[in-house]
Amino acid sequence: MQSNSLNLPLVSIIVLNYNGKRHLKTCLDSLLRTDYPNFEIILVDNGSSDGSVEFVAENYPRVKIVRLKRNIYAAGGYMAGVLAARGKYVAILNNDVEVDEKWLRFLVEALENMPWVVAADAKYKDFYQRNRFDSSAAAGRWVDYLGNNYTRGIGELDLGQYDKPVYIMGVLTIFKRDILLKLGGFDISYMFGYEDIDIGWRIYLAGYKILYVPQAVIYHKSGASTKDRQNMQRPRPEFFYLNKRNRLITLMKNYSIHNMLSAITITLLEYYLSLWYFFLSRNKIYGLQLARAMLYPFRNLRKIMKKRALTQQFRSRSDKDIMKYMVPYSGDIIRVLRNIFS
């Protein structure tokens, strides 16, 4: 233990697990090698049936286990861990990662030295090809003006091109726990997808910022549980639906009224064009999931608007100011046109 350990805040590392016993040894062993003297590890088990809990209880007595009776999905599992945490900071990881020894130290130093930054993301590299970025978080996440998720560096060789800290909008790696709870935490109705963008947007609404910290490195086996087996470039249909639905909810919750109406109108038009593309290209299952996502806001308008009211009470920044941290359009229409003309 280093001499300055008493001055370093406690970090609660939350590992989300669902039937991921095969990943846990690599993940937990790397966490226990973390070069940071003041942390606890909390395994949140989402109702696993593969012996994950028993394996951890027997082999990792230092790990606190939060055992859930059923799978409440990613957003719900994250919040279960946050509520059980004792640390000033909460770091949130999936079970299919291996961390660099100094990952946590770099993240905490950034947050401690920049009080306006209340959350940060690491550099995520591919677990199997360690000179490349992964396909999920890579070198920072943003959204465009219509809420499309943009991830920088996916699959690229890491040649140092993204080694500068920058402000980002999507975040999942580490948060100041008190601010996360103050803003309402992760929206558990999202289940999976866009919870990182939604909380990131709310952080900016409240007047704070999020930092990409490239010195903090995490290796990720990305996409194994969420990608369609026949098309590894596309999520499984149920996750595709949740991503498209949650994007609409995120726009409705976080934008001002004028920008919300504009963004929703254009997004629904984008979805409509994509719907026809899926049907014409004989991807009927994805077309049906997209239609479900389009109908959701109309069927649940009252519930979404209540969430919107809670979100907007924290607003201290204008949409114009927040848009400085967004990127140009990066949505489905561009990808559809590329497929048509390629």
Side-chain angles (χ1 to χ4, degrees):
M1 183 170 291
Q2 299 186 15
S3 60
N4 64 343
S5 63
L6 293 177
N7 298 321
L8 291 171
L10 175 66
V11 180
S12 300
I13 303 171
I14 299 162
V15 178
L16 185 64
N17 179 70
Y18 176 65
N19 286 335
K21 179 182 174 182
R22 65 193 182 280
H23 300 304
L24 289 174
K25 185 178 190 307
T26 298
C27 176
L28 295 176
D29 284 352
S30 73
L31 288 176
L32 291 172
R33 293 192 297 268
T34 294
D35 179 22
Y36 186 88
N38 196 11
F39 66 90
E40 63 175 353
I41 303 174
I42 302 171
L43 179 83
V44 177
D45 187 79
N46 247 335
S48 295
S49 57
D50 68 344
S52 290
V53 170
E54 293 77 11
F55 171 75
V56 173
E58 181 178 347
N59 294 283
Y60 297 92
R62 182 178 168 183
V63 175
K64 178 180 178 179
I65 299 172
V66 176
R67 187 170 193 172
L68 304 175
K69 293 182 178 179
R70 62 184 179 86
N71 186 359
I72 59 173
Y73 299 95
Y78 297 150
M79 280 310 298
V82 171
L83 294 173
R86 298 183 297 114
K88 177 180 179 180
Y89 297 106
V90 286
I92 296 176
L93 301 172
N94 288 327
N95 55 11
D96 58 345
V97 301
E98 182 178 357
V99 297
D100 178 78
E101 289 185 4
K102 293 187 180 296
W103 74 287
L104 193 56
R105 186 176 292 274
F106 285 121
L107 291 168
V108 172
E109 284 178 357
L111 292 169
E112 288 285 283
N113 292 329
M114 304 171 73
W116 60 92
V117 173
V118 300
D121 239 12
K123 175 192 285 188
Y124 283 83
K125 300 180 73 172
D126 189 279
F127 181 85
Y128 301 104
Q129 300 181 69
R130 299 202 167 199
N131 60 340
R132 291 188 179 274
F133 291 99
D134 85 331
S135 62
S136 299
R141 288 170 286 174
W142 293 263
V143 289
D144 66 20
Y145 304 133
L146 299 179
N148 289 291
N149 197 346
Y150 168 74
T151 304
R152 183 177 66 171
I154 287 178
E156 292 181 23
L157 285 170
D158 180 9
L159 302 174
Q161 68 271 43
Y162 304 126
D163 277 358
K164 264 190 179 178
V166 293
Y167 294 124
I168 56 176
M169 280 200 71
V171 62
L172 206 54
T173 310
I174 193 168
F175 300 83
K176 287 186 177 177
R177 182 175 180 270
D178 60 341
I179 301 297
L180 179 61
L181 291 174
K182 174 187 171 184
L183 297 179
F186 297 104
D187 187 334
I188 62 174
S189 72
Y190 278 39
M191 298 172 66
F192 175 89
Y194 266 81
E195 68 279 349
D196 56 338
I197 295 298
D198 174 58
I199 189 61
W201 201 325
R202 283 186 277 142
I203 285 170
Y204 276 92
L205 271 175
Y208 303 107
K209 292 183 180 181
I210 304 163
L211 191 69
Y212 163 68
V213 182
Q215 296 83 7
V217 178
I218 297 174
Y219 300 96
H220 184 209
K221 308 170 188 175
S222 52
S225 62
T226 61
K227 296 290 180 65
D228 181 67
R229 291 181 181 179
Q230 293 181 341
N231 184 352
M232 287 299 288
Q233 299 303 311
R234 185 178 293 148
R236 285 174 12 205
E238 60 269 36
F239 292 115
F240 177 82
Y241 160 71
L242 289 172
N243 269 287
K244 297 301 182 183
R245 183 200 72 168
N246 293 346
R247 175 184 162 196
L248 292 171
I249 298 171
T250 300
L251 292 171
M252 294 175 72
K253 286 170 57 179
N254 292 290
Y255 261 140
S256 64
I257 286 289
H258 173 75
N259 287 326
M260 177 193 77
L261 293 173
S262 299
I264 287 293
T265 300
I266 298 170
T267 300
L268 289 175
L269 176 60
E270 176 193 286
Y271 281 11
Y272 180 75
L273 295 173
S274 296
L275 188 75
W276 279 105
Y277 170 77
F278 283 125
F279 282 120
L280 292 173
S281 61
R282 298 183 180 180
N283 278 306
K284 183 178 179 182
I285 184 63
Y286 286 96
L288 292 173
Q289 297 302 324
L290 191 53
R292 282 181 66 201
M294 293 171 71
L295 290 173
Y296 183 89
F298 299 101
R299 291 175 171 173
N300 297 273
L301 184 60
R302 181 176 296 180
K303 180 167 65 175
I304 297 172
M305 295 310 285
K306 284 182 179 178
K307 291 183 178 183
R308 171 185 164 76
L310 292 172
T311 296
Q312 293 298 315
Q313 71 180 341
F314 295 108
R315 179 184 283 275
S316 67
R317 269 201 181 106
S318 67
D319 287 350
K320 184 178 180 181
D321 189 20
I322 296 171
M323 285 176 176
K324 297 174 185 175
Y325 304 97
M326 296 182 177
V327 297
Y329 179 77
S330 59
D332 287 341
I333 300 302
I334 287 178
R335 287 188 283 272
V336 169
L337 292 174
R338 283 174 181 163
N339 288 335
I340 291 173
F341 294 108
S342 61

